[in-house]
Amino acid sequence: MNIPLLDLKAQLAPLRDEIVARITEVVDSSRYIQGPEVENLEKAIAGYCGVDFGIGVSSGTDALLVSLMALDVGPGDFVVTTPYTFFATMGSIVRLGARPLFVDIDPVTYNLDPGCLAETLDNENIRRQVKVILPVHLYGQCADMNRIMKLAAAYDIPVVEDAAQGIGAACPIEKNGRTVWRKAGSMGSCGCFSFFPSKNLGGMGDGGMVVSSDEKLTEKIKILRNHGADPKYFHGIIGGNFRLDAIQAAILRVKLTHLAEWHKGRRRNADRYNKLFRQAGLTKNGLIQTPVAVYKPETETSAEGQDYHIYNQYIIRVRERDNLREFLLNNSIGVEIYYPLGLHQQECVKKFEYCGHGFPEAEKAARQTLALPIYPELTADMQQYVVDTISMFYK
Ligand SMILES: *Cc1c(COP(=O)(O)O)cnc(C)c1O
């Protein structure tokens, strides 16, 4: 059996005709950049996330960059984030001349540890230099936003959510003594999404979006997206070309209508893996740790309608990771290491004084974890084969 890490062909098959028809409409409209397609997508994504505004941009990376620009992040500032994420999170900070201030991750969720965050912000000398807190909702599960937002509010520091892997993921936060479920990207000053093809909502090229309910911030991001021009050809500030193509927006609007069912399929597959690994005895003797859905409501009924984890990746923590990886690849099972290095260990920042203490949990995760195929079209037989092959490796 040949099982790819992600099978975009399987996703495309039932949608192909509709998508091609929508692309053709855009081709014939001769409106290729921004325009009504992009505006409609912006409204749809904002509505989906429960915020007032969406701002279509050229990529998830640019969503982060333009958000930090809009919040005046610049030379010397600290932006607090996790060292265990995709490079773009840090790249957007460093490109503005600011410094990433890393805090270690929680070993269960792989997300920024709010205890470490509290400790870091406790130092007033450091805190005064912190311009933004940038949590990442890694693998499709929200960071502990309840505690992160409380700290941010206490110190009056804006939060930008890197929700590139977490579109639609929800988590419970306390609001005026009540617990409410909020979607990724809707809790901070703004949230950033990526439509890179491998994300749960992926385009056919690059694309991204910033969402926000802050009208002033939204206006500024819209101006920055277009070289800071306001009005056209008059530049009060310096921005860039961060615009989104109409063709991508048209494709994404078709796909958005299927997102809920894809999330559900990924969760079903995650539950199935968890069960198969248990049955195979691999979890009991500690050879494998399966992912934990932290915000999973107690009962299936209360879980109804809550995308507590969207499983952009299904990550296992394993013994002999590198050998297992090779064994699975040799058996035609697509697996990947996200991520082999902490960001603080990257060559390009070695000469750069990145700041922060040690990051043992991030380094451990980088050594021990492996992503398995989890896409919605994966079948029970395929998952059985994956688990059987892993069992064979440990025999
Ligand atoms: C994918 C991703 C990005 C960047 O998105 P692009 O659209 O590829 O630029 C940023 N942060 C995280 C966590 C991501 O996974």
Side-chain angles (χ1 to χ4, degrees), residues 59-62 64 85-86 88-89 136 138 162 164-165 194-196 199 206-207 339:
S59 68
T61 302
D62 286 340
L64 290 165
T85 171
F86 179 57
T89 314
V136 179
L138 202 67
D162 182 343
Q165 298 181 12
S194 161
F195 303 129
F196 186 78
K199 312 290 164 142
D206 281 309
Y339 299 88

Side-chain angles (χ1 to χ4, degrees), residues 238-266:
I238 296 171
N241 173 0
F242 303 131
R243 296 177 304 246
L244 180 62
D245 291 347
I247 283 182
Q248 293 307 327
I251 294 163
L252 290 162
R253 279 177 66 202
V254 174
K255 288 197 171 190
L256 180 61
T257 60
H258 298 273
L259 191 57
E261 103 211 22
W262 291 335
H263 286 346
K264 218 170 156 187
R266 285 170 181 266

Side-chain angles (χ1 to χ4, degrees), residues 146 150 172-180:
N146 195 35
K150 272 186 194 157
I173 65 170
E174 282 168 48
K175 271 261 145 123
N176 311 320
R178 284 188 336 133
T179 299
V180 291

Side-chain angles (χ1 to χ4, degrees), residues 11 29 42 70 85 103-104 110-111 173 191 201 246 250 269 308 346 388 392:
Q11 188 199 64
S29 78
E42 290 172 341
T85 171
V103 303
D104 207 2
Y110 304 108
N111 278 321
I173 65 170
L201 180 62
N269 293 347
Y308 53 84
Q346 291 291 349
D388 288 348
M392 205 155 45

